[in-house]
Amino acid sequence: MVWLLYSDYLKESLKTATYIKYLKWYVWVIFLILLLIDVGLYITFLVYSIYWLQIVMFVVSIIAGLYFGNEIRKIVTNRVGTYEDFYFNNIATLRNILERRKLYSSNQLNLLIEQIDEELPKLKTTESLIKPFYTLSTIIVIPIVTMLVKWILDSKEAEGAYLVILILLIIIMIFSLFYMIKPLLEELLDLEYKRMSKLKQMIKDIKIIYFCQTP
């Protein structure tokens, strides 16, 4: 039953992404320019190994994201209202779905929340991807790197120290790249998890608003 409710809510609720099509042309141009700047900085970093460019890339990415998000919020505010209006519109939509499905009682809502709790762990896709990475780095990569560093230091002097520093920098770059990609992976692969968690929270809010009223 919870998946029927989930499907109905996805079809009928308001979504911020729906309003992207109303963005002005110049918003897309500015966002694209910032994106191209970021790509250019990344290519420069790869070619010349200027490490402080990573900080600039990070700042440009934040500026692009904040700008794009702010323009979408403006559109949503103009067409729907404030965040509160947007949220209560979806609360009303979910309430109508629950009534239509004849699931509008406190006990039924409790059972739906329990069903969602059972489903949520299955939807956390990134955990199954990240755990092997942690295991591999702990059990295999770290001991191998430690042995390699020891071998280099024992066999060569100045060149060995240089190679150790280079290996450590490469490892740091790999881990940094992983932690940069991790939020994007979570956003893409855990989309159903986030939506289901949001649905659970809204069911709780409906209970608070309509079933916990003081006389």
Side-chain angles (χ1 to χ4, degrees):
M1 181 57 73
V2 70
W3 284 105
L4 288 174
L5 183 65
Y6 175 86
S7 177
D8 288 346
Y9 180 71
L10 279 185
K11 291 175 185 175
E12 299 179 30
S13 61
L14 291 175
K15 302 173 190 66
T16 304
T18 306
Y19 297 92
I20 289 177
K21 61 186 177 183
Y22 297 111
L23 289 171
K24 303 291 186 182
W25 64 269
Y26 60 82
V27 175
W28 290 104
V29 171
I30 293 172
F31 181 73
L32 183 61
I33 289 171
L34 290 171
L35 187 62
L36 289 174
I37 291 172
D38 224 17
V39 171
L41 289 171
Y42 182 68
I43 293 171
T44 305
F45 163 72
L46 291 178
V47 174
Y48 298 103
S49 299
I50 305 173
Y51 292 98
W52 58 265
L53 284 178
Q54 290 181 329
I55 299 173
V56 181
M57 287 163 52
F58 182 69
V59 172
V60 172
S61 298
I62 290 176
I63 292 172
L66 289 175
Y67 174 73
F68 196 75
N70 186 57
E71 291 299 320
I72 292 177
R73 277 193 293 274
K74 287 180 185 177
I75 297 291
V76 173
T77 301
N78 289 336
R79 291 181 173 270
V80 180
T82 62
Y83 172 79
E84 187 176 346
D85 296 327
F86 189 89
Y87 187 74
F88 277 103
N89 189 298
N90 282 338
I91 284 283
T93 299
L94 181 56
R95 184 187 179 190
N96 291 335
I97 294 169
L98 290 167
E99 289 177 338
R100 189 171 71 235
R101 291 283 183 184
K102 303 188 185 306
L103 297 170
Y104 198 64
S105 73
S106 183
N107 289 335
Q108 287 173 312
L109 296 182
N110 287 334
L111 288 172
L112 283 172
I113 291 171
E114 288 178 10
Q115 286 186 5
I116 291 174
D117 284 335
E118 291 174 2
E119 293 293 329
L120 281 175
K122 304 172 189 174
L123 302 176
K124 193 70 173 172
T125 308
T126 50
E127 283 192 0
S128 61
L129 297 175
I130 292 171
K131 280 184 180 178
F133 177 81
Y134 289 142
T135 305
L136 186 67
S137 61
T138 304
I139 297 176
I140 300 176
V141 176
I142 293 176
I144 289 176
V145 169
T146 305
M147 291 173 61
L148 183 61
V149 168
K150 185 178 183 305
W151 177 78
I152 291 173
L153 289 175
D154 289 342
S155 60
K156 301 177 183 179
E157 295 179 358
E159 292 181 9
Y162 174 77
L163 286 174
V164 168
I165 293 172
L166 186 62
I167 290 169
L168 290 176
L169 285 174
I170 291 171
I171 292 171
I172 291 170
M173 285 179 62
I174 291 171
F175 274 90
S176 300
L177 182 63
F178 171 75
Y179 282 105
M180 287 172 64
I181 294 173
K182 183 183 172 186
L184 181 61
L185 287 175
E186 289 177 344
E187 191 68 30
L188 295 173
L189 300 179
D190 292 341
L191 185 59
E192 282 193 339
Y193 174 85
K194 291 186 176 183
R195 286 173 173 173
M196 191 66 82
S197 298
K198 183 69 173 178
L199 181 63
K200 174 186 171 182
Q201 185 59 53
M202 295 189 73
I203 292 173
K204 286 183 174 180
D205 288 347
I206 285 175
K207 284 194 64 181
I208 292 170
I209 296 168
Y210 298 109
F211 291 90
C212 298
Q213 294 177 340
T214 55

